[in-house]
Amino acid sequence: MSLSVRLTHALAGFDLDIAFDAPPGVTALFGRSGAGKTTIVNAVAGLLRPDAGRVVVGDRVLFDTALGRWLPPHQRRVGYVFQEGRLFPHLSVRQNLAYGRWFARRAPATESQDRVVEMLGIGHLLDRRPAKLSGGEKQRVAIGRALLANPGLILADEPLAALDVARKSEILSYLERVRDEVSVPILYVSHSAAEVARIATTVVVLQDGKVQRQGPATEVFGDPSVLPTGVRAAGAVLQAIVVRHHADGLTEIDAGGARLFLPLIAQSPGREVRVRIAAHEVLLSRGRPEGLSALNILSGTVDQVRAGDGPGAIVSVRTQAGPVLARVTRRSADALGLAHGVPCHAIIKTVSIAPEDISGLV
Amino acid sequence: MAWLGPDEWSAVALSLKVAGCATLVTLPLGVFVAYVLARWSFPGKQLLNGIVHLPLILPPVVTGYLLLLTFGTRGPVGGLLQEIGIVFAFRWTGAALAAGVMAFPLMVRAIRLSIEAVDPGLEQAAATLGASRLWVFATVTLPLILPGILTGGILAFAKAMGEFGATITFVSNIPGQTQTLPSAIYAFLQVPGGETSAMRLVLVSVAVAISALMLSEWLARRVANRVAGT
C-alpha cells in the first residue's frame, strides 16, 4: 500500500506546494516547526481543506480537488496519532481502544485487539481512565486506538513531542514494533533528526513549504546540504549488521565491510541495525591516527566542505560504511587542507553513540 | 404538606408542573441552540444570539405582552395552533410557555459555556476514528457537556418556578389554572389577612430554590468527576 500526496495551500507567510510518493513503511515528514508539516497531515486526514491537491492511499482517492472529490474525515480510514494523544476522557482505555473498531465493524479486522494490546504493553491499563495514565501510557493507548480503527494509513504528528527523553525512547521502540509487525504505512511528522533517523524508511525534507529532498534515511542524512533543523542536529546514518557481542560490553557491527564498536545493544547477531553518528562527535585526521583511545576509525575521502555562517563547517566524508558527516571549525578545515577528494580518517568514540541513536530494522 | 391550604398547595403543584414541563421541553432546543452558537459560524449569528437573550433584557411584562399578541387565540401563531387543538391563552400550558421563554437564555448560556470548554481536538479525533458528525456529538460532545446541561436545566427550572411578570401578563392569575407560586404570593398579599399564606409560600419558594441549587451543584460535580475519570 502506497501513499501519494500533492497539494498546494496558502499559509500565513508562505505557500505550501508539495508533492511526494511514499513507499510502504514509515515516511517521515521532516522539517523545522512551521514548515507546513501539520498542514499536510491535517489535509490527508480531512481536518483541513487545502486550496488544491490530490491524496491517494493505495487505490483510494481521499480527495482530488480537480475532480471535486472530498471524503469527509470519518470515511477516510486514516488512523491519526495526535501530539497530545487526545484520548476521550469520559471513556476507559478499553472503550477508547474499541471506539474506532466499532465504527469499522463491518470491515474485516486487520488487527486483533489482543495483539495490539500485547504489542503496546497496555494490558494492565484497560480499565483505567485517561486521567490516570502517564504521558507515555497515553501515547501508547493513542497508537493502539488508531491501529484498531482498521486504518489504511497511520498519521503521527509529533507523537513524542510532549514526552521526556526516556519516554520518547520507549514510545519509539513501540512504534518500531508497529512499523515492523503491521503492514499499514505510516506518515510520521517530526522536527527531531534523531527520531526520524531511527524510525523512517523514507525521509521527506520540508523547507519553507517545499519538498527539499526525498529519499532513504541514509542518503538524506548523509547529505550536508540538507540540514533543515540546523547544523546542531546534523548527523549521518549508517546501516549495519550486528556481528557479535563482546564480553566487555561492546557490540561489533559491520557497516559495508567496515567494523565498528558500539555500546552493547539488544539486537542479536545477524540483525540489521541503523546507527546515527552525530556530526559534532566525529573527529577528522589526515594521517592514520596512532595511540588513540577511540575505537572506530573509518578511512575515506572528503566529498564536500560546507562552511556555515559561524566558525563551523560540515565536512562529508565518503567511507566504506557510507557517508559520514563531521562538524569541525573552519580553522581546522583550512589547517588540514580539507577539500573534495582529500583522503582522511573519521574518528568516532564508541561512548559517544547513545542508545537512542541505534535502532533495529527487520 | 398539611400546613398548606388547598389554594396554596394547588399553586405549588401547578408551579412544579409548569416549571418541569417548561424545562424538559426546552432542554433539547436549548442544547441545539447552544451548540449552534458555540460551534457554527454563519451570517446572522449575532441576530440569533440577540433573539435568544431578548427575554433576559426586556421587561418581563413586555415579553408577556408579546407572547399574548403572538400566541393569544387571535394571535397569528395562537390562532393556527387553536385549529389543531393547542391553546396557550389562560391555560397552564401558557404559563409553561412564558416560563420556558423567560428561562431559555439562562439555559443556553450555561450549556454554551460547557460546549465551548470541550476541546474540538477530541471531536476531530473521533471523526478520524470513523464517527460521523452526529455520532461525534452523541458519543463525545454530549457526554462531556452533561454537567453543563444539568446546570442549565436546573437553573432554568429555578427561573421558571419564579417567573411572574410575563406569566401574569400572558395568562393572568386564575387560581387552579394559571396561578403559579409567585402569582399566588402576589394575590395573597392583595387581600387582608393573606400574609400568613403568603409567608408559607415564600418559605416553599426558598426551599425549592435552595434544593434546586444544591442538587445542581451535587449532580454537576458527580457527573464532572465521572466524565473526567478522576
Side-chain angles (χ1 to χ4, degrees):
Chain A
M1 191 104 79
S2 66
L3 164 72
S4 161
V5 177
R6 39 209 97 244
L7 59 92
T8 56
H9 189 66
L11 289 170
F14 64 93
D15 288 341
L16 191 67
D17 182 3
I18 57 108
F20 61 87
D21 293 292
V26 175
T27 301
L29 283 178
F30 176 52
R32 65 172 76 230
S33 305
K37 307 187 294 291
T38 299
T39 307
I40 297 172
V41 281
N42 280 345
V44 172
L47 302 178
L48 173 144
R49 205 183 267 264
D51 297 340
R54 173 182 160 89
V55 169
V56 184
V57 177
D59 52 2
R60 297 175 66 232
V61 179
L62 300 188
F63 74 87
D64 187 333
T65 46
L67 299 176
R69 184 175 166 82
W70 178 264
L71 278 185
H74 69 275
Q75 289 174 5
R76 293 198 174 191
R77 289 184 46 223
V78 161
Y80 200 147
V81 181
F82 298 90
Q83 185 174 332
E84 341 73 276
R86 298 197 190 175
L87 298 179
F88 303 125
H90 58 298
L91 301 179
S92 68
V93 167
R94 191 190 304 278
Q95 291 166 323
N96 265 283
L97 289 172
Y99 192 90
R101 189 76 273 278
W102 192 78
F103 288 106
R105 62 194 178 281
R106 281 185 211 92
T110 46
E111 296 301 324
S112 81
Q113 175 155 338
D114 292 345
R115 198 170 93 93
V116 169
V117 165
E118 187 276 323
M119 183 164 63
L120 296 168
I122 49 180
H124 60 298
L125 307 173
L126 288 176
D127 294 317
R128 289 201 211 161
R129 287 294 186 86
K132 295 259 195 272
L133 301 182
S134 71
E137 288 168 343
K138 278 183 193 161
Q139 280 314 56
R140 270 145 67 192
V141 174
I143 294 166
R145 184 177 71 169
L147 274 175
L148 287 169
N150 217 18
L153 168 72
I154 288 190
L155 304 174
D157 185 8
E158 303 265 11
L160 312 181
L163 305 177
D164 60 49
V165 175
R167 291 287 86 74
K168 274 187 180 147
S169 189
E170 174 200 316
I171 302 292
L172 269 179
S173 320
Y174 286 115
L175 281 170
E176 281 166 359
R177 285 193 73 177
V178 172
R179 174 193 65 194
D180 300 338
E181 295 177 19
V182 178
S183 59
V184 184
I186 300 175
L187 187 59
Y188 187 95
V189 166
S190 179
H191 66 271
S192 155
E195 238 174 87
V196 171
R198 212 174 130 172
I199 192 148
T201 325
T202 310
V203 181
V204 176
V205 180
L206 283 183
Q207 194 152 26
D208 304 324
K210 309 273 180 294
V211 175
Q212 193 199 6
R213 178 80 192 259
Q214 176 185 358
T218 42
E219 272 178 33
V220 172
F221 285 108
D223 184 343
S225 65
V226 183
L227 301 169
T229 55
V231 71
R232 290 193 170 274
V237 172
L238 302 180
Q239 203 106 342
I241 290 170
V242 177
V243 177
R244 70 173 70 88
H245 300 305
H246 291 270
D248 56 353
L250 297 179
T251 296
E252 186 179 347
I253 60 168
D254 180 319
R259 293 298 169 99
L260 296 171
F261 293 92
L262 308 179
L264 194 65
I265 60 174
Q267 283 76 13
S268 41
R271 284 282 306 264
E272 209 174 325
V273 292
R274 189 188 275 180
V275 184
R276 178 171 175 274
I277 314 282
H280 59 84
E281 299 283 7
V282 179
L283 294 177
L284 295 180
S285 161
R286 284 291 300 271
R288 175 99 200 158
E290 298 276 330
L292 210 60
S293 67
L295 292 175
N296 304 310
I297 299 171
L298 292 167
S299 45
T301 55
V302 173
D303 187 38
Q304 51 175 313
V305 180
R306 289 180 74 93
D309 299 329
I314 292 275
V315 181
S316 67
V317 181
R318 270 184 221 273
T319 74
Q320 200 180 358
V324 172
L325 296 187
R327 184 159 166 248
V328 298
T329 55
R330 284 209 306 258
R331 182 180 296 198
S332 306
D334 292 343
L336 294 179
L338 297 177
H340 179 74
V342 171
C344 75
H345 301 272
I347 301 151
I348 305 152
K349 287 175 70 175
T350 294
V351 292
S352 72
I353 301 168
E356 303 84 273
D357 296 326
I358 304 162
S359 64
L361 296 170
V362 167
Chain B
M1 290 292 190
W3 56 281
L4 284 179
D7 279 359
E8 297 155 42
W9 176 238
S10 94
V12 171
L14 182 71
S15 269
L16 288 171
K17 181 164 86 168
V18 162
C21 276
T23 308
L24 289 180
V25 170
T26 50
L27 204 53
L29 185 65
V31 172
F32 177 72
V33 170
Y35 188 83
V36 166
L37 288 176
R39 285 290 152 83
W40 294 2
S41 56
F42 54 93
K45 182 171 164 177
Q46 283 316 311
L47 187 69
L48 175 66
N49 193 32
I51 291 172
V52 167
H53 281 93
L54 214 53
L56 199 63
I57 44 177
L58 277 180
V61 177
V62 173
T63 306
Y65 184 61
L66 290 175
L67 284 174
L68 188 61
L69 287 183
T70 317
F71 290 95
T73 40
R74 272 170 295 174
V77 182
L80 276 177
L81 289 174
Q82 199 174 20
E83 307 264 303
I84 57 167
I86 300 175
V87 180
F88 285 114
F90 308 109
R91 302 281 174 87
W92 75 270
T93 46
L97 177 65
V101 167
M102 292 300 291
F104 198 63
L106 287 174
M107 179 192 277
V108 169
R109 283 178 81 87
I111 299 173
R112 180 181 176 173
L113 277 179
S114 68
I115 292 174
E116 283 169 349
V118 173
D119 176 7
L122 292 176
E123 294 166 329
Q124 288 184 341
T128 64
L129 290 166
S132 63
R133 283 174 79 152
L134 215 58
W135 276 113
V136 171
F137 181 78
T139 58
V140 177
T141 321
L142 195 60
L144 290 176
I145 63 171
L146 218 49
I149 293 179
L150 278 173
T151 311
I154 289 172
L155 216 58
F157 179 81
K159 170 75 186 169
M161 280 293 289
E163 214 309 305
F164 175 66
T167 309
I168 206 161
T169 314
F170 181 30
V171 293
S172 184
N173 189 354
I174 309 162
Q177 284 286 328
T178 64
Q179 190 174 71
T180 58
L181 242 171
S183 311
I185 293 173
Y186 177 75
F188 279 124
L189 289 177
Q190 301 303 304
V191 294
E195 286 88 352
T196 336
S197 295
M199 186 46 77
R200 282 202 287 266
L201 291 181
V202 166
L203 289 177
V204 171
S205 288
V206 171
V208 168
I210 290 182
S211 314
L213 196 68
M214 281 173 28
L215 181 71
S216 96
E217 291 282 317
W218 180 75
L219 273 177
R221 203 169 320 123
R222 250 186 75 119
V223 173
N225 283 346
R226 207 173 50 89
V227 165
T230 49

